[in-house]
Amino acid sequence: MIYPQANSYRGTKNLSGPWDFKWDPQNLGIKKKWKKGLKGSKRITVPASWNEQFKETRDYLGPAWYQTHFNRDSNSIGRKVFLRFGSVNYMAEVWLNGVRLGSHEGGHLPFVFEVTKHLKKKNNLVVRVEGYLKPDRVPPGNVPPGPLDSFNNNFNPPASFDFFPFCGIQRPVLLFTTPNERIEDLTVTTDISGKNGQVRVDIAASVSLPSTLKVSLEGFGWKMVSEAPLKNGKAAYLLPVPNAKLWGPGSPNLYQLKVELKLAGKTIDQVGLPVGIRTIRVKGSQLLLNNKPIFLKGFGRHEDYPGTGRYLPPAALKKDYANMQWIGANSFRTTHYPYSDEDMVMADRLGFLVIDETPAVGLFFKKDGLARRLKLCRQFTRDMIARDKNHPCVAMWSLANEPHSNRPAAVPFFKNLAQLARNMDKSRPVTLVSYLGTPEKSFKFLDLVCVNRYFGWYSEPCDLNKAIPRLSKDLDAIYRRFKKPLLVTEFGADALPGSHAQPPAMFSEEYQREMISRYLGVIKQKPFVVGAHVWNLSDFKTAQATHRPNGMNYKGVFTRQRKPKLAAFALRKLWNKNT
Ligand code: GCU
């Protein structure tokens, strides 16, 4: 999937800003044909969740209606015109000038409609959004409590996952144009041999006449150009890069790829893409980046910010990376859903390795709804890989977080998804993140083992002298069982900002600091552990529950306003070699 771009052949128009907005608690909008235009609406900011933009709607999950107007740009005449939503949570239905363009299910990946034939000089775009929590959606909600299918968290709203089910148009909405005959998609895979790199570019184009492709790759004072005819709309290039500047944490070297489509010698389309030359693979009990062992130091995060909900404003995104760099982290997991395009671009540019995770959190494997959950997980796995496959930052694909895998149906479910991921991308490892550990049977056919551990918090509360030895034995047992590299993908403790206790007590900053430090002490002794991700980078909004004061999860080492707690300083001492 090529991200919209502007050049002599393509254009973009960002529709972000104030939109009209209307609640629809009685669900009257469809019958009353609000698709033709909203009356008596208020103003809302797009992108951002609606929940924290108004005082009365924190827990309202829809339906609600959005509307905006835009003029057709002159440079779109004679081109194809598309409408791209970065993400809408959870269900979206879209009309342009009263004509239904279609609908989309799923809250964290882009979707596109071609609008060429519906465009007028002045246009009215209407979107209906609802975020109902249902057991046969992904992620699920309103799941009947039970030891095999959900944690008995008793959340309100009734999510089967621990983050607030924010709703709305939560990422930018773009109009973009392409030529009628155009480059459809690019797939870049990179390899290394000795000091040299190799960039493979697979290109698909839709053209009606014989044409050629001109491919250029340049960077660091080096450039190469290659031109070849297109056969049946496809072409593949192998570009050798002598003395390649490799991509990785600390050296996010990016080359610039440019692809031109030429008809009778005249360029009719062009796309550009940054390329990071690197390899990532599992070897024995190690994770290798560019054929050298790498240890992933980092965090689980959330796209979460006061007022904007699930939308991270650019300055907040930049601040999160500044905080991770200050601590000395080199990686994160997109917990528990694919993050924004902008986040992935920043990870490429700043050299962070990313465990890219689908929105499959809290999955359960009871028969009812299972086929639909698998269908949705396949859609989200496919869309995530299609969107992110060319980002050098993506180190591996995570198929799920904490599935309730105790039912037998879990193994064929994940076998199906692992196969899909591997068919789409042979260049990256595939994993899932489990709370089970040794009983997680799917680890037998996945490339790495990822486990979340909270001994000393949800068990052995405030008793690290019991919890730490248990952690050590547990990690050894998991490695003995699977003999694969192991990532501790979550560990941590809630710490109310400014809460202190001596001796350390639960919910104090001192206990959070001590628990994280002692976990890292154990992890350091395990050569088969290839990464440690603290839960969480920042405090984040979740649903109301007795174990979530103020509807917040306080396991951040930074507050929701991105201010450091004691644990952040301790982590910096352990991870940032410049301290
Ligand atoms: C789980 C889960 C997180 C959750 C965390 C916690 O491991 O993956 O989403 O926030 O535990 O309970 O804090």
Side-chain angles (χ1 to χ4, degrees):
M1 176 190 276
I2 295 173
Y3 189 79
Q5 42 195 282
N7 55 40
S8 317
Y9 316 94
R10 291 171 173 245
T12 61
K13 182 188 185 99
N14 192 331
L15 299 183
S16 298
W19 285 37
D20 301 325
F21 185 69
K22 197 172 167 115
W23 306 116
D24 188 7
Q26 273 73 44
N27 203 13
L28 304 172
I30 293 179
K31 209 169 41 263
K32 297 200 165 199
K33 301 199 180 312
W34 290 2
K35 64 182 180 183
K36 296 191 169 159
L38 302 185
K39 293 185 185 57
S41 54
K42 50 175 73 179
R43 296 297 263 172
I44 193 169
T45 301
V46 167
S49 311
W50 67 56
N51 308 80
E52 293 190 342
Q53 290 195 54
F54 307 97
K55 59 186 183 315
E56 72 277 18
T57 55
R58 179 191 65 201
D59 297 341
Y60 181 69
L61 303 183
W65 294 71
Y66 288 80
Q67 171 183 267
T68 192
H69 304 278
F70 63 89
N71 295 335
R72 172 166 201 167
D73 287 350
S74 53
N75 69 9
S76 70
I77 309 287
R79 291 182 175 171
K80 285 181 185 287
V81 187
F82 299 86
L83 184 63
R84 181 187 196 269
F85 291 84
S87 76
V88 179
N89 194 52
Y90 173 85
M91 181 69 84
E93 197 157 3
V94 184
W95 294 266
L96 184 62
N97 305 322
V99 175
R100 185 176 184 278
L101 298 180
S103 62
H104 178 271
E105 177 168 0
H108 303 91
L109 284 160
F111 54 99
V112 176
F113 297 112
E114 183 172 354
V115 297
T116 317
K117 60 179 191 289
H118 305 300
L119 275 178
K120 295 179 179 167
K121 210 163 161 21
K122 289 183 175 310
N123 297 277
N124 183 28
L125 174 63
V126 174
V127 186
R128 178 184 185 274
V129 180
E130 54 87 348
Y132 303 141
L133 294 165
K134 294 182 179 176
D136 64 351
R137 288 186 162 184
V138 175
N142 270 306
V143 175
L148 293 182
D149 305 318
S150 75
F151 296 120
N152 295 332
N153 285 331
N154 200 13
F155 275 130
N156 172 25
S160 190
F161 45 87
D162 184 19
F163 54 92
F164 196 82
F166 286 115
C167 303
I169 302 178
Q170 306 187 133
R171 289 180 192 152
V173 182
L174 300 179
L175 271 174
F176 68 95
T177 62
T178 72
N180 289 313
E181 313 230 308
R182 63 193 188 142
I183 298 160
E184 289 282 356
D185 196 14
L186 299 177
T187 303
V188 173
T189 40
T190 61
D191 203 348
I192 302 166
S193 58
K195 286 190 171 320
N196 302 324
Q198 180 177 285
V199 175
R200 179 184 167 100
V201 189
D202 289 280
I203 300 164
S206 51
V207 280
S208 52
L209 298 166
S211 51
T212 58
L213 280 169
K214 181 180 169 192
V215 175
S216 68
L217 184 67
E218 64 182 304
F220 313 101
W222 171 86
K223 179 171 183 176
M224 80 164 292
V225 181
S226 176
E227 195 151 344
L230 257 178
K231 289 198 184 66
N232 313 318
K234 295 219 183 309
Y237 292 75
L238 279 179
L239 309 173
V241 182
N243 301 313
K245 296 264 185 198
L246 303 183
W247 183 93
S251 57
N253 295 314
L254 291 171
Y255 289 78
Q256 191 57 33
L257 175 73
K258 186 168 81 172
V259 179
E260 292 174 69
L261 177 63
K262 301 174 87 166
L263 219 49
K266 184 169 172 293
T267 299
I268 59 164
D269 193 12
Q270 175 190 310
V271 291
L273 187 74
V275 169
I277 299 174
R278 93 288 177 269
T279 57
I280 187 100
R281 60 194 177 84
V282 165
K283 188 175 172 224
S285 65
Q286 293 185 312
L287 178 66
L288 303 181
L289 171 72
N290 304 336
N291 297 320
K292 294 195 188 89
I294 179 99
F295 186 84
L296 302 185
K297 306 178 287 183
F299 298 92
R301 294 169 54 201
H302 266 300
E303 289 186 316
D304 173 282
Y305 202 68
T308 57
R310 186 70 64 233
Y311 172 61
L312 258 186
L317 179 63
K318 190 77 187 86
K319 180 65 178 169
D320 281 353
Y321 275 85
N323 282 346
M324 288 194 285
Q325 287 175 313
W326 178 78
I327 278 195
N330 63 12
S331 65
F332 61 85
R333 175 166 56 116
T334 67
T335 41
H336 298 294
Y337 37 78
Y339 288 179
S340 68
D341 301 281
E342 295 76 13
D343 208 323
M344 304 305 281
V345 168
M346 199 168 282
D348 289 341
R349 288 199 182 132
L350 298 180
F352 279 79
L353 286 159
V354 178
I355 301 173
D356 209 354
E357 183 163 281
T358 75
V361 54
L363 279 182
F364 65 106
F365 299 89
K366 230 182 199 166
K367 204 160 165 24
D368 42 333
L370 187 60
R372 210 176 101 77
R373 289 192 295 276
L374 176 59
K375 184 167 165 282
L376 286 169
C377 284
R378 284 183 62 84
Q379 171 196 324
F380 300 151
T381 303
R382 207 175 19 249
D383 291 354
M384 174 179 75
I385 296 175
R387 188 195 73 166
D388 294 345
K389 63 187 177 180
N390 293 330
H391 285 287
C393 68
V394 177
M396 63 189 83
W397 306 111
S398 168
L399 303 175
N401 177 73
E402 298 204 341
H404 299 285
S405 307
N406 277 318
R407 291 181 189 275
V411 171
F413 190 99
F414 287 117
K415 262 199 177 129
N416 182 309
L417 294 179
Q419 192 55 58
L420 169 64
R422 289 177 172 137
N423 290 345
M424 288 185 74
D425 176 17
K426 296 177 177 35
S427 73
R428 294 178 175 94
V430 179
T431 187
L432 70 74
V433 174
S434 168
Y435 63 84
L436 292 177
T438 44
E440 188 69 64
K441 295 187 180 65
S442 296
F443 282 140
K444 278 185 290 196
F445 53 79
L446 293 170
D447 298 310
L448 296 101
V449 171
C450 294
V451 288
N452 297 340
R453 284 295 178 251
Y454 288 97
F455 309 133
W457 188 260
Y458 292 115
S459 60
E460 303 84 18
C462 207
D463 188 349
L464 292 175
N465 292 336
K466 267 206 202 117
I468 294 304
R470 181 180 173 193
L471 172 71
S472 182
K473 286 197 190 78
D474 172 65
L475 297 180
D476 292 340
I478 294 171
Y479 181 66
R480 259 196 318 274
R481 172 106 166 70
F482 297 108
K483 289 278 188 281
K484 291 178 180 175
L486 194 156
L487 265 156
V488 184
T489 29
E490 285 184 34
F491 60 99
D494 285 76
L496 297 175
S499 164
H500 298 287
Q502 185 49 39
M506 290 177 85
F507 290 96
S508 71
E509 290 194 28
E510 285 77 10
Y511 187 71
Q512 182 189 44
R513 175 180 60 184
E514 187 183 1
M515 180 163 162
I516 289 172
S517 306
R518 290 188 63 180
Y519 262 64
L520 289 173
V522 169
I523 287 166
K524 213 167 150 200
Q525 297 158 12
K526 310 288 180 190
F528 52 80
V529 177
V530 297
H533 278 185
V534 173
W535 189 258
N536 187 293
L537 176 65
S538 310
D539 293 345
F540 59 91
K541 184 87 191 68
T542 186
Q544 307 289 326
T546 40
H547 64 310
R548 290 285 178 261
N550 191 13
M552 286 287 293
N553 184 308
Y554 284 106
K555 292 193 181 71
V557 299
F558 291 89
T559 66
R560 200 180 185 209
Q561 290 69 25
R562 275 57 183 177
K563 305 286 182 200
K565 301 178 190 174
L566 292 180
F569 295 94
L571 266 177
R572 175 176 159 82
K573 273 211 174 65
L574 289 166
W575 280 355
N576 190 326
K577 52 187 178 312
N578 303 326
T579 48

